[in-house]
Amino acid sequence: MSLLYEHKPRKVILQILKDEIDYHDKKILHLSPEKKIFDYLKSKANIIPADKAPGFYKLVDKNIMYADATVLPYENEAFDIVIANHIMEHIPEDRKAMKEIYRVLKKEGRGIVQIPFSKTINATIEEPFINNAKMQSQLFGQKDHVRIYNLSDYMNRLREAGFTVTYLTPEMLTKYSKYALQENEGFINCVK
């Protein structure tokens, strides 16, 4: 349902889940799970937490599964919702991960796939297989990022994966401004 780079992404996602998405009794895959979102949803939906480094998330849930986002170990159309908040900028083969998320979503399923993006750069800046924390910090603003997305390019990558993508402008999202939504940012609605 959304992509956004803002100061407090978890609060925005939680509010959008509460206001915009029917998650009750749905099957949800939560990649790189954030504790507050996971804790909120675990009694309301069938949520499966997963990551390529599950030990890092043991405090979120002791039963976290191993899952590489580029080769998800789930059947086709297994989930109603996939939450992959701020992971694509870390994944060298992001297009493969987008296709996998699309594959495991049920028809009409939603992907909440937030990323940091820029509307001012002409093209996505990336070094997918960089392995130098200092250079990654200099190039991408964080030691474990491999790209900064251009907003149009990101939306096109999602379309190439099969998603229907709609950009919701900041004006359409004014009710979320109290959750630190930045002035020039919006959401992208991704539906299978």
Side-chain angles (χ1 to χ4, degrees), residues 44-67:
K44 299 166 180 53
N46 176 8
I47 186 164
I48 297 171
D51 192 79
K52 192 173 181 177
F56 187 75
Y57 295 92
K58 288 292 184 186
L59 293 178
V60 174
D61 185 73
K62 65 181 180 182
N63 298 315
I64 187 164
M65 306 289 294
Y66 171 86

PDB file of all heavy atoms in Angstrom, residues 44-67:
ATOM      1  N   LYS A  44      -4.492  -9.549  15.934  1.00  0.00           N
ATOM      2  CA  LYS A  44      -5.584  -9.176  15.035  1.00  0.00           C
ATOM      3  C   LYS A  44      -5.532  -9.894  13.691  1.00  0.00           C
ATOM      4  O   LYS A  44      -6.472  -9.837  12.910  1.00  0.00           O
ATOM      5  CB  LYS A  44      -5.549  -7.669  14.798  1.00  0.00           C
ATOM      6  CG  LYS A  44      -5.733  -6.857  16.073  1.00  0.00           C
ATOM      7  CD  LYS A  44      -5.352  -5.404  15.835  1.00  0.00           C
ATOM      8  CE  LYS A  44      -5.513  -4.538  17.043  1.00  0.00           C
ATOM      9  NZ  LYS A  44      -4.859  -4.978  18.248  1.00  0.00           N
ATOM     10  N   ALA A  45      -4.390 -10.526  13.402  1.00  0.00           N
ATOM     11  CA  ALA A  45      -4.200 -11.168  12.098  1.00  0.00           C
ATOM     12  C   ALA A  45      -3.269 -12.358  12.260  1.00  0.00           C
ATOM     13  O   ALA A  45      -2.630 -12.527  13.297  1.00  0.00           O
ATOM     14  CB  ALA A  45      -3.605 -10.152  11.116  1.00  0.00           C
ATOM     15  N   ASN A  46      -3.177 -13.159  11.224  1.00  0.00           N
ATOM     16  CA  ASN A  46      -2.220 -14.259  11.185  1.00  0.00           C
ATOM     17  C   ASN A  46      -0.939 -13.690  10.573  1.00  0.00           C
ATOM     18  O   ASN A  46      -0.822 -13.599   9.351  1.00  0.00           O
ATOM     19  CB  ASN A  46      -2.786 -15.403  10.341  1.00  0.00           C
ATOM     20  CG  ASN A  46      -1.800 -16.539  10.181  1.00  0.00           C
ATOM     21  OD1 ASN A  46      -0.741 -16.573  10.793  1.00  0.00           O
ATOM     22  ND2 ASN A  46      -2.155 -17.470   9.321  1.00  0.00           N
ATOM     23  N   ILE A  47      -0.005 -13.273  11.410  1.00  0.00           N
ATOM     24  CA  ILE A  47       1.190 -12.581  10.938  1.00  0.00           C
ATOM     25  C   ILE A  47       2.419 -13.474  11.092  1.00  0.00           C
ATOM     26  O   ILE A  47       2.630 -14.081  12.138  1.00  0.00           O
ATOM     27  CB  ILE A  47       1.372 -11.221  11.654  1.00  0.00           C
ATOM     28  CG1 ILE A  47       2.534 -10.438  11.052  1.00  0.00           C
ATOM     29  CG2 ILE A  47       1.477 -11.370  13.136  1.00  0.00           C
ATOM     30  CD1 ILE A  47       2.539  -8.962  11.433  1.00  0.00           C
ATOM     31  N   ILE A  48       3.189 -13.548  10.017  1.00  0.00           N
ATOM     32  CA  ILE A  48       4.411 -14.346  10.004  1.00  0.00           C
ATOM     33  C   ILE A  48       5.594 -13.395   9.874  1.00  0.00           C
ATOM     34  O   ILE A  48       5.743 -12.730   8.850  1.00  0.00           O
ATOM     35  CB  ILE A  48       4.402 -15.351   8.835  1.00  0.00           C
ATOM     36  CG1 ILE A  48       3.252 -16.332   9.030  1.00  0.00           C
ATOM     37  CG2 ILE A  48       5.749 -16.055   8.704  1.00  0.00           C
ATOM     38  CD1 ILE A  48       2.997 -17.236   7.860  1.00  0.00           C
ATOM     39  N   PRO A  49       6.443 -13.307  10.910  1.00  0.00           N
ATOM     40  CA  PRO A  49       7.629 -12.463  10.818  1.00  0.00           C
ATOM     41  C   PRO A  49       8.767 -13.243  10.157  1.00  0.00           C
ATOM     42  O   PRO A  49       8.963 -14.428  10.439  1.00  0.00           O
ATOM     43  CB  PRO A  49       7.949 -12.145  12.278  1.00  0.00           C
ATOM     44  CG  PRO A  49       7.464 -13.360  13.022  1.00  0.00           C
ATOM     45  CD  PRO A  49       6.273 -13.864  12.253  1.00  0.00           C
ATOM     46  N   ALA A  50       9.526 -12.586   9.278  1.00  0.00           N
ATOM     47  CA  ALA A  50      10.604 -13.281   8.582  1.00  0.00           C
ATOM     48  C   ALA A  50      11.695 -12.289   8.179  1.00  0.00           C
ATOM     49  O   ALA A  50      11.430 -11.110   7.954  1.00  0.00           O
ATOM     50  CB  ALA A  50      10.062 -13.988   7.347  1.00  0.00           C
ATOM     51  N   ASP A  51      12.922 -12.819   8.082  1.00  0.00           N
ATOM     52  CA  ASP A  51      14.046 -12.003   7.630  1.00  0.00           C
ATOM     53  C   ASP A  51      15.196 -12.911   7.226  1.00  0.00           C
ATOM     54  O   ASP A  51      15.270 -14.072   7.660  1.00  0.00           O
ATOM     55  CB  ASP A  51      14.512 -11.044   8.725  1.00  0.00           C
ATOM     56  CG  ASP A  51      15.473  -9.998   8.175  1.00  0.00           C
ATOM     57  OD1 ASP A  51      14.982  -9.028   7.557  1.00  0.00           O
ATOM     58  OD2 ASP A  51      16.698 -10.155   8.336  1.00  0.00           O
ATOM     59  N   LYS A  52      16.109 -12.360   6.465  1.00  0.00           N
ATOM     60  CA  LYS A  52      17.305 -13.105   6.048  1.00  0.00           C
ATOM     61  C   LYS A  52      18.265 -13.297   7.218  1.00  0.00           C
ATOM     62  O   LYS A  52      19.086 -14.209   7.213  1.00  0.00           O
ATOM     63  CB  LYS A  52      17.993 -12.353   4.903  1.00  0.00           C
ATOM     64  CG  LYS A  52      19.046 -13.145   4.201  1.00  0.00           C
ATOM     65  CD  LYS A  52      19.553 -12.405   2.974  1.00  0.00           C
ATOM     66  CE  LYS A  52      20.600 -13.236   2.263  1.00  0.00           C
ATOM     67  NZ  LYS A  52      21.063 -12.575   1.039  1.00  0.00           N
ATOM     68  N   ALA A  53      18.147 -12.432   8.228  1.00  0.00           N
ATOM     69  CA  ALA A  53      18.954 -12.545   9.450  1.00  0.00           C
ATOM     70  C   ALA A  53      18.003 -12.646  10.640  1.00  0.00           C
ATOM     71  O   ALA A  53      17.858 -11.697  11.409  1.00  0.00           O
ATOM     72  CB  ALA A  53      19.885 -11.349   9.587  1.00  0.00           C
ATOM     73  N   PRO A  54      17.338 -13.787  10.814  1.00  0.00           N
ATOM     74  CA  PRO A  54      16.298 -13.888  11.848  1.00  0.00           C
ATOM     75  C   PRO A  54      16.796 -13.635  13.266  1.00  0.00           C
ATOM     76  O   PRO A  54      16.041 -13.124  14.094  1.00  0.00           O
ATOM     77  CB  PRO A  54      15.763 -15.306  11.692  1.00  0.00           C
ATOM     78  CG  PRO A  54      16.754 -16.035  10.885  1.00  0.00           C
ATOM     79  CD  PRO A  54      17.509 -15.028  10.082  1.00  0.00           C
ATOM     80  N   GLY A  55      18.046 -13.953  13.554  1.00  0.00           N
ATOM     81  CA  GLY A  55      18.575 -13.723  14.898  1.00  0.00           C
ATOM     82  C   GLY A  55      18.527 -12.271  15.321  1.00  0.00           C
ATOM     83  O   GLY A  55      18.375 -11.951  16.498  1.00  0.00           O
ATOM     84  N   PHE A  56      18.610 -11.370  14.350  1.00  0.00           N
ATOM     85  CA  PHE A  56      18.562  -9.933  14.622  1.00  0.00           C
ATOM     86  C   PHE A  56      17.185  -9.510  15.150  1.00  0.00           C
ATOM     87  O   PHE A  56      17.061  -8.502  15.822  1.00  0.00           O
ATOM     88  CB  PHE A  56      18.912  -9.169  13.338  1.00  0.00           C
ATOM     89  CG  PHE A  56      19.057  -7.697  13.519  1.00  0.00           C
ATOM     90  CD1 PHE A  56      20.183  -7.163  14.122  1.00  0.00           C
ATOM     91  CD2 PHE A  56      18.065  -6.823  13.074  1.00  0.00           C
ATOM     92  CE1 PHE A  56      20.318  -5.795  14.287  1.00  0.00           C
ATOM     93  CE2 PHE A  56      18.195  -5.455  13.239  1.00  0.00           C
ATOM     94  CZ  PHE A  56      19.331  -4.943  13.844  1.00  0.00           C
ATOM     95  N   TYR A  57      16.161 -10.299  14.862  1.00  0.00           N
ATOM     96  CA  TYR A  57      14.790  -9.931  15.210  1.00  0.00           C
ATOM     97  C   TYR A  57      14.187 -10.809  16.308  1.00  0.00           C
ATOM     98  O   TYR A  57      12.982 -10.791  16.520  1.00  0.00           O
ATOM     99  CB  TYR A  57      13.914  -9.985  13.949  1.00  0.00           C
ATOM    100  CG  TYR A  57      14.336  -8.958  12.937  1.00  0.00           C
ATOM    101  CD1 TYR A  57      15.249  -9.267  11.938  1.00  0.00           C
ATOM    102  CD2 TYR A  57      13.845  -7.659  13.004  1.00  0.00           C
ATOM    103  CE1 TYR A  57      15.658  -8.318  11.023  1.00  0.00           C
ATOM    104  CE2 TYR A  57      14.245  -6.703  12.093  1.00  0.00           C
ATOM    105  CZ  TYR A  57      15.154  -7.038  11.107  1.00  0.00           C
ATOM    106  OH  TYR A  57      15.555  -6.086  10.213  1.00  0.00           O
ATOM    107  N   LYS A  58      14.997 -11.564  17.027  1.00  0.00           N
ATOM    108  CA  LYS A  58      14.486 -12.467  18.071  1.00  0.00           C
ATOM    109  C   LYS A  58      13.729 -11.728  19.175  1.00  0.00           C
ATOM    110  O   LYS A  58      12.842 -12.300  19.806  1.00  0.00           O
ATOM    111  CB  LYS A  58      15.618 -13.299  18.682  1.00  0.00           C
ATOM    112  CG  LYS A  58      16.140 -14.369  17.749  1.00  0.00           C
ATOM    113  CD  LYS A  58      15.111 -15.456  17.525  1.00  0.00           C
ATOM    114  CE  LYS A  58      15.678 -16.560  16.670  1.00  0.00           C
ATOM    115  NZ  LYS A  58      14.710 -17.546  16.310  1.00  0.00           N
ATOM    116  N   LEU A  59      14.054 -10.451  19.405  1.00  0.00           N
ATOM    117  CA  LEU A  59      13.326  -9.683  20.419  1.00  0.00           C
ATOM    118  C   LEU A  59      11.943  -9.257  19.928  1.00  0.00           C
ATOM    119  O   LEU A  59      11.077  -8.916  20.722  1.00  0.00           O
ATOM    120  CB  LEU A  59      14.133  -8.468  20.860  1.00  0.00           C
ATOM    121  CG  LEU A  59      15.425  -8.781  21.624  1.00  0.00           C
ATOM    122  CD1 LEU A  59      16.176  -7.506  21.961  1.00  0.00           C
ATOM    123  CD2 LEU A  59      15.144  -9.589  22.881  1.00  0.00           C
ATOM    124  N   VAL A  60      11.756  -9.269  18.615  1.00  0.00           N
ATOM    125  CA  VAL A  60      10.429  -8.981  18.068  1.00  0.00           C
ATOM    126  C   VAL A  60       9.532 -10.196  18.267  1.00  0.00           C
ATOM    127  O   VAL A  60       8.417 -10.089  18.752  1.00  0.00           O
ATOM    128  CB  VAL A  60      10.519  -8.606  16.567  1.00  0.00           C
ATOM    129  CG1 VAL A  60       9.125  -8.449  15.970  1.00  0.00           C
ATOM    130  CG2 VAL A  60      11.329  -7.332  16.385  1.00  0.00           C
ATOM    131  N   ASP A  61      10.065 -11.378  17.867  1.00  0.00           N
ATOM    132  CA  ASP A  61       9.312 -12.617  18.019  1.00  0.00           C
ATOM    133  C   ASP A  61      10.302 -13.774  17.999  1.00  0.00           C
ATOM    134  O   ASP A  61      11.138 -13.863  17.098  1.00  0.00           O
ATOM    135  CB  ASP A  61       8.292 -12.760  16.887  1.00  0.00           C
ATOM    136  CG  ASP A  61       7.400 -13.972  17.083  1.00  0.00           C
ATOM    137  OD1 ASP A  61       6.534 -13.922  17.971  1.00  0.00           O
ATOM    138  OD2 ASP A  61       7.588 -14.969  16.361  1.00  0.00           O
ATOM    139  N   LYS A  62      10.206 -14.660  18.959  1.00  0.00           N
ATOM    140  CA  LYS A  62      11.164 -15.774  19.045  1.00  0.00           C
ATOM    141  C   LYS A  62      10.985 -16.788  17.919  1.00  0.00           C
ATOM    142  O   LYS A  62      11.861 -17.600  17.659  1.00  0.00           O
ATOM    143  CB  LYS A  62      11.063 -16.459  20.407  1.00  0.00           C
ATOM    144  CG  LYS A  62       9.736 -17.128  20.653  1.00  0.00           C
ATOM    145  CD  LYS A  62       9.667 -17.774  22.012  1.00  0.00           C
ATOM    146  CE  LYS A  62       8.296 -18.415  22.157  1.00  0.00           C
ATOM    147  NZ  LYS A  62       8.064 -19.021  23.395  1.00  0.00           N
ATOM    148  N   ASN A  63       9.851 -16.748  17.230  1.00  0.00           N
ATOM    149  CA  ASN A  63       9.575 -17.699  16.155  1.00  0.00           C
ATOM    150  C   ASN A  63       9.811 -17.119  14.763  1.00  0.00           C
ATOM    151  O   ASN A  63       9.255 -17.618  13.781  1.00  0.00           O
ATOM    152  CB  ASN A  63       8.130 -18.200  16.254  1.00  0.00           C
ATOM    153  CG  ASN A  63       7.890 -18.939  17.544  1.00  0.00           C
ATOM    154  OD1 ASN A  63       8.691 -19.767  17.954  1.00  0.00           O
ATOM    155  ND2 ASN A  63       6.802 -18.603  18.216  1.00  0.00           N
ATOM    156  N   ILE A  64      10.615 -16.089  14.663  1.00  0.00           N
ATOM    157  CA  ILE A  64      10.853 -15.471  13.358  1.00  0.00           C
ATOM    158  C   ILE A  64      11.462 -16.490  12.399  1.00  0.00           C
ATOM    159  O   ILE A  64      12.308 -17.288  12.766  1.00  0.00           O
ATOM    160  CB  ILE A  64      11.735 -14.209  13.482  1.00  0.00           C
ATOM    161  CG1 ILE A  64      11.818 -13.498  12.141  1.00  0.00           C
ATOM    162  CG2 ILE A  64      13.094 -14.530  14.038  1.00  0.00           C
ATOM    163  CD1 ILE A  64      12.332 -12.076  12.225  1.00  0.00           C
ATOM    164  N   MET A  65      10.968 -16.474  11.172  1.00  0.00           N
ATOM    165  CA  MET A  65      11.386 -17.422  10.140  1.00  0.00           C
ATOM    166  C   MET A  65      12.530 -16.844   9.314  1.00  0.00           C
ATOM    167  O   MET A  65      12.629 -15.632   9.163  1.00  0.00           O
ATOM    168  CB  MET A  65      10.206 -17.713   9.193  1.00  0.00           C
ATOM    169  CG  MET A  65       8.942 -18.175   9.858  1.00  0.00           C
ATOM    170  SD  MET A  65       9.045 -19.819  10.527  1.00  0.00           S
ATOM    171  CE  MET A  65       9.237 -20.758   9.039  1.00  0.00           C
ATOM    172  N   TYR A  66      13.337 -17.719   8.736  1.00  0.00           N
ATOM    173  CA  TYR A  66      14.341 -17.288   7.767  1.00  0.00           C
ATOM    174  C   TYR A  66      13.632 -17.101   6.426  1.00  0.00           C
ATOM    175  O   TYR A  66      12.880 -17.972   5.981  1.00  0.00           O
ATOM    176  CB  TYR A  66      15.455 -18.337   7.594  1.00  0.00           C
ATOM    177  CG  TYR A  66      16.372 -17.981   6.444  1.00  0.00           C
ATOM    178  CD1 TYR A  66      17.447 -17.122   6.639  1.00  0.00           C
ATOM    179  CD2 TYR A  66      16.134 -18.463   5.167  1.00  0.00           C
ATOM    180  CE1 TYR A  66      18.266 -16.768   5.585  1.00  0.00           C
ATOM    181  CE2 TYR A  66      16.947 -18.117   4.101  1.00  0.00           C
ATOM    182  CZ  TYR A  66      18.009 -17.263   4.313  1.00  0.00           C
ATOM    183  OH  TYR A  66      18.806 -16.903   3.259  1.00  0.00           O
ATOM    184  N   ALA A  67      13.879 -15.965   5.790  1.00  0.00           N
ATOM    185  CA  ALA A  67      13.351 -15.746   4.439  1.00  0.00           C
ATOM    186  C   ALA A  67      14.198 -14.701   3.733  1.00  0.00           C
ATOM    187  O   ALA A  67      14.370 -13.589   4.230  1.00  0.00           O
ATOM    188  CB  ALA A  67      11.900 -15.294   4.489  1.00  0.00           C
TER     189      ALA A  67
END
